[in-house]
Amino acid sequence: MNKDVHILRLMLCAVLFLSLSLTFGQNLRRPTPQFTAPCASASFNTFNVRFQWDGPLVNSDNVFILELSDETGSFSNAVQLASDNTQNTTFDFIFNFAFPSDIRGDNYRVRVRSTSPALTSPESDAFPAYFLNVDQNLTITGFGSGIVAVCDGSSTTLEVLNFPGEPAYRWFRNRNPIPIPGETGSTLEVTQPGFYFAEVDYGDFCSGSTFSNETEVIMNPVNNIAINGPANVELCPGFTYQLEANVNSTALTYRWFKDGVLINTPGFVPTISVDPANPAGTYTLETTTNNSAACVEVSAPVVITVPNLNVTVSQPSNVLLLPGDSIDLDITTTADNPSYAWFRDGSLLSGETNSTLTVINPGVYRGRVTQGTGCIVDEFTTDVTVELPQSINITVAPQGAYSECDQTSTILEVNTIQAVTTSGNTIDVKTQLINNFSYQWLKANTPITGETGNTLTISDASLNDLYSLRATISSFNIVSNDFDVKLRIDETVTISSDGQISCDGSSLINISSDVTDASYTYEWFRDNILIASETSPTLATNLAGAYRLGVTAFGCTVFSNEIIISPFDSSIVTVDAPEVIVIPEGSFRIVTASGADNYQWFNEENIEISSSASVTLSEEGQYVLRAFVGTCQVIRRFTVQFQDSFAVPNVISPNSDGINDLWIIPNRFAFNPDIEVIIYDPNGALVFRANGYQNNWPESNLTYSLAKPIFYYKIISRENEVLKQGTITLIR
């Protein structure tokens, strides 16, 4: 009993000892970085972390691992900095490592893990860490000159020139140690003057080694460039005018424009004189500052005008003056308080000071207008040449579209009236004079009674002739050109025929016209070729072709419709039987024709045995069918034979003795186009093939090495049915 209790107590003690050992196992302490703010670079990247831990000892396969958090202190994607499997009996040792080249942030932490057992230490305190990719000073816009000029009211962009790809930068203005808030890119848009520089952002502890050059941004003031004086200038002819800029500065380059075109050599040109020969236009001034900003300003326009009197005269440049007539020349002008003067052939006309001049004599006229207020300006009208006609020509022509022999009526009218002046000029005076003439129409140079207007209606082809017009005005008596009027008769020529099929010359077809006037000329055409001998309105023909009639009257020909006469096609008549008809003796065969209008069947005694489309044949003999299509006749001949009673022979002896020289088969197979006969030689090669076999094989001598060669035959119906087949032995 006591022994059992003692054993139980020993077991309880062992369990208690094991429990205490597990409760007080290895302890991984918080790692201690041997730095405060590491600034790693390609030239220096060696750092230490001290690590301590408490026993008992870890397992012999244990590895201590030093891990780095992300820049926010999170170990969700921890980076292994170092590992060591040789410190499993050392409770205080140093990790030596290098930082990754992508670290940049202010809240990194480290921790240590063991693998056997799997334990994780507390995290270290947060620390900033940066890897310095750039170990040189930055250069920014303005490097070298140190100045960037900007036009006032606009902006400029400063940018990092040598290392533009870093994650973040700091920009500074006016040497303020505090960076410009929010500006972390490689460029900076500047809208204020000042001194600017930049650096790569490596945090508060690692920055300062990449400061750039300092660039001064200068804002150029606005000059409000303008052209002195009024915006609108009226310049009298012959006067000069100078344009002047409101700013006179050698720091500016001046460019003067007229109607958008540069008119000076750019430079220091604050004033410019306009061209007195051509001053009118719209002028602007453009200035550019002579620095890197090259600020451009453009003035408001100045418009210079020269008085325009806008003088016009009422008549065209060439005017015809008919004897006894007068012409008024009227001046219209926009001049203020105008006065007038008139000139004839360059000489001043005394006393003619009104805006209207009445002309009764030929000459070259022009008017002069003088403006009475403002600029004193003279302006002349265009010249008006007033001439007397040397002669007058008139032409006549049909109104509208006209083509010879195409219309049945037309209207002739005055087409042109042209006056030829003494100087040889031709002037169109139709509008002026058409209603001033006295007219008389002529037919073949003979006056037409009552036709005294400027138009003439010709309404019938019988009036075809040469027409002209006599026109009289003042002392002019004019006869126009001759116009040859050719109208066609007002009839439609229609031809018809009593048939349209030619029966190989066996009968005539009559073609006639509905126009039969004996005074007309008639010409018949077959296939567009004139039939020389046919000159009447009717035609009898037995030839196929396309026929047309031309009717000529009063010099014009009218063509008829076309009639087609076709050659007769006898194949339209068909019969449902072959030319050789085989029937058993004592039976009959009904033969039927189609395609004709009428039918006649005759036996060999020329006795009509049927007048319908069908006939019943029961006797041997020759029969004839006469089929009528219109006036055309088709003849078909037939032979009726009784069916042979002998069998198809299987032996022939073609030795020219008149006995069995040919292979004669029963007539129910021979002479029938619906029956095909095929014969092969002893080697199976085809030697004969025909429909409607004529009992004519062999047609020549057959030579074979065999003494009695055997041939093979087949007799086949139209439906491809084998009616008979067998052998034929050839005996010499």
Side-chain angles (χ1 to χ4, degrees):
M1 178 71 177
N2 291 333
K3 183 179 180 180
D4 292 337
V5 171
H6 180 70
I7 293 172
L8 181 59
R9 288 176 178 173
L10 290 174
M11 292 177 65
L12 289 173
C13 289
V15 170
L16 179 61
F17 176 80
L18 179 61
S19 175
L20 289 173
S21 296
L22 293 175
T23 302
F24 298 100
Q26 295 90 350
N27 176 43
L28 305 186
R29 299 184 186 183
R30 175 179 297 181
T32 305
Q34 304 299 293
F35 48 80
T36 56
C39 301
S41 67
S43 61
F44 179 79
N45 195 5
T46 301
F47 297 91
N48 298 321
V49 170
R50 180 182 179 187
F51 174 61
Q52 296 174 298
W53 59 285
D54 301 318
L57 295 176
V58 294
N59 298 324
S60 61
D61 61 346
N62 175 67
V63 178
F64 288 106
I65 300 172
L66 178 64
E67 292 182 331
L68 177 68
S69 71
D70 63 17
E71 67 273 15
T72 66
S74 171
F75 283 92
S76 59
N77 291 294
V79 175
Q80 181 176 313
L81 295 177
S83 64
D84 198 333
N85 62 355
T86 65
Q87 304 296 333
N88 290 336
T89 60
T90 304
F91 295 95
D92 186 351
F93 64 91
I94 298 295
F95 279 106
N96 183 267
F97 66 92
F99 279 105
S101 61
D102 60 350
I103 61 166
R104 56 178 299 108
D106 295 328
N107 290 290
Y108 285 98
R109 297 174 186 269
V110 292
R111 71 182 182 184
V112 176
R113 287 192 303 108
S114 63
T115 60
S116 182
L119 300 173
T120 302
S121 76
E123 301 169 359
S124 73
D125 293 333
F127 57 87
Y130 288 85
F131 191 94
L132 280 57
N133 291 312
V134 178
D135 58 358
Q136 302 177 37
N137 292 102
L138 300 182
T139 57
I140 65 172
T141 306
F143 179 77
S145 67
I147 296 175
V148 172
V150 183
C151 301
D152 196 9
S154 60
S155 64
T156 188
T157 299
L158 301 181
E159 60 180 323
V160 175
L161 302 177
N162 54 346
F163 294 102
E166 293 305 301
Y169 299 82
R170 292 178 175 182
W171 289 90
F172 302 88
R173 178 174 177 265
N174 292 338
R175 303 183 180 101
N176 188 337
I178 300 175
I180 301 173
E183 298 295 344
T184 61
S186 63
T187 63
L188 174 68
E189 185 175 358
V190 177
T191 59
Q192 294 178 309
F195 294 89
Y196 293 84
F197 67 94
E199 69 170 349
V200 180
D201 184 0
Y202 288 137
D204 293 337
F205 294 94
C206 298
S207 297
S209 62
T210 61
F211 284 129
S212 73
N213 57 292
E214 187 176 63
T215 295
E216 182 183 6
V217 176
I218 300 173
M219 294 291 176
N220 283 293
V222 176
N223 291 309
N224 296 316
I225 288 297
I227 301 174
N228 292 332
N232 294 281
V233 177
E234 184 178 67
L235 189 63
C236 295
F239 283 66
T240 61
Y241 190 79
Q242 189 176 66
L243 299 172
E244 180 183 30
N246 66 330
V247 176
N248 187 323
S249 173
T250 58
L252 298 177
T253 294
Y254 295 79
R255 292 177 175 83
W256 294 91
F257 294 86
K258 176 187 176 185
D259 298 327
V261 178
L262 182 67
I263 58 174
N264 75 302
T265 300
F268 177 60
V269 188
T271 62
I272 191 170
S273 296
V274 300
D275 180 3
N278 183 26
T282 299
Y283 295 83
T284 56
L285 170 61
E286 177 186 285
T287 62
T288 306
T289 57
N290 297 328
N291 56 27
S292 60
C295 299
V296 177
E297 291 187 56
V298 179
S299 73
V302 171
V303 178
I304 296 179
T305 58
V306 175
N308 181 5
L309 302 190
N310 191 21
V311 174
T312 59
V313 67
S314 60
Q315 296 292 343
S317 59
N318 288 282
V319 181
L320 185 69
L321 178 63
L322 296 177
D325 285 350
S326 64
I327 297 171
D328 285 340
L329 303 181
D330 296 309
I331 293 178
T332 302
T333 183
T334 58
D336 294 331
N337 192 22
S339 60
Y340 303 92
W342 289 95
F343 298 80
R344 175 174 176 264
D345 296 332
S347 299
L348 179 67
L349 295 175
S350 177
E352 298 293 346
T353 58
N354 295 322
S355 61
T356 300
L357 175 68
T358 299
V359 176
I360 59 174
N361 294 305
V364 178
Y365 291 82
R366 65 161 43 182
R368 184 184 68 197
V369 176
T370 301
Q371 180 167 270
T373 58
C375 293
I376 306 302
V377 180
D378 290 337
E379 188 70 34
F380 285 90
T381 67
T382 56
D383 288 346
V384 177
T385 301
V386 178
E387 297 182 280
L388 294 175
Q390 181 72 17
S391 61
I392 299 176
N393 298 324
I394 292 180
T395 63
V396 297
Q399 281 184 358
Y402 171 84
S403 181
E404 285 189 354
C405 299
D406 198 36
Q407 282 87 23
T408 58
S409 66
T410 189
I411 297 176
L412 294 181
E413 65 176 0
V414 175
N415 186 40
T416 64
I417 303 177
Q418 292 181 325
V420 181
T421 67
T422 55
S423 60
N425 293 327
T426 300
I427 302 174
D428 181 5
V429 293
K430 178 180 177 180
T431 301
Q432 298 169 255
L433 299 182
I434 189 169
N435 295 319
N436 296 344
F437 282 92
S438 297
Y439 296 103
Q440 175 63 61
W441 286 95
L442 309 174
K443 177 185 178 187
N445 293 322
T446 301
I448 305 173
T449 302
E451 296 297 345
T452 57
N454 56 29
T455 62
L456 174 65
T457 299
I458 304 170
S459 57
D460 191 86
S462 62
L463 300 176
N464 287 356
D465 213 324
L466 290 175
Y467 288 84
S468 58
L469 177 64
R470 180 184 298 135
T472 303
I473 185 172
S474 186
S475 61
F476 293 95
N477 190 18
I478 307 152
V479 177
S480 75
N481 60 304
D482 287 330
F483 189 87
D484 191 2
V485 175
K486 289 187 176 181
L487 304 176
R488 65 175 178 83
I489 57 175
D490 191 12
E491 294 187 66
T492 300
V493 180
T494 303
I495 59 174
S496 57
S497 65
D498 57 7
Q500 290 186 307
I501 298 177
S502 173
C503 304
D504 299 327
S506 60
S507 60
L508 293 176
I509 295 174
N510 295 307
I511 307 174
S512 60
S513 167
D514 62 345
V515 176
T516 59
D517 194 315
S519 65
Y520 297 166
T521 299
Y522 300 88
E523 292 179 313
W524 288 93
F525 297 83
R526 174 175 173 261
D527 296 332
N528 293 321
I529 298 174
L530 176 67
I531 306 174
S533 60
E534 298 294 340
T535 58
S536 72
T538 60
L539 173 69
T541 183
N542 58 7
L543 300 177
Y547 288 85
R548 198 165 56 130
L549 173 63
V551 179
T552 302
F554 311 108
C556 292
T557 301
V558 178
F559 286 94
S560 71
N561 58 303
E562 188 176 73
I563 287 182
I564 305 297
I565 296 182
S566 305
F568 177 64
D569 182 7
S570 63
S571 65
I572 64 174
V573 177
T574 60
V575 181
D576 66 351
E579 292 182 2
V580 177
I581 301 171
V582 178
I583 59 175
E585 188 174 1
S587 66
F588 63 89
R589 168 79 179 268
I590 297 175
V591 179
T592 302
S594 61
D597 300 326
N598 299 291
Y599 305 90
Q600 289 181 321
W601 299 85
F602 297 88
N603 61 17
E604 58 188 8
E605 285 81 27
N606 202 29
I607 298 173
E608 183 177 349
I609 58 175
S610 176
S611 60
S612 68
S614 299
V615 66
T616 299
L617 303 176
S618 59
E619 297 294 333
E620 285 187 318
Q622 303 293 322
Y623 294 86
V624 176
L625 166 65
R626 297 180 184 274
F628 299 90
V629 180
T631 60
C632 299
Q633 177 180 253
V634 177
I635 297 176
R636 296 278 192 270
R637 301 182 187 278
F638 304 91
T639 298
V640 176
Q641 297 177 350
F642 288 142
Q643 181 175 310
D644 294 329
S645 59
F646 63 85
V648 176
N650 58 6
V651 175
I652 59 173
S653 56
N655 51 14
S656 302
D657 63 355
I659 301 173
N660 290 332
D661 287 335
L662 298 173
W663 187 54
I664 305 298
I665 63 176
N667 56 15
R668 68 179 182 276
F669 298 135
F671 310 106
N672 189 340
D674 294 334
I675 300 295
E676 182 180 32
V677 173
I678 303 174
I679 301 174
Y680 303 92
D681 70 6
N683 298 318
L686 180 68
V687 296
F688 182 84
R689 186 171 195 164
N691 286 74
Y693 176 56
Q694 302 295 309
N695 283 337
N696 57 346
W697 184 82
E699 294 179 338
S700 60
N701 291 332
L702 298 176
T703 302
Y704 284 90
S705 59
L706 299 174
K708 296 180 179 180
I710 297 176
F711 293 77
Y712 305 90
Y713 71 88
K714 282 186 179 181
I715 300 175
I716 303 173
S717 69
R718 180 187 292 273
E719 292 76 21
N720 210 32
E721 177 186 359
V722 177
L723 303 176
K724 197 74 174 176
Q725 63 182 356
T727 62
I728 306 170
T729 301
L730 189 148
I731 300 175
R732 298 293 181 185

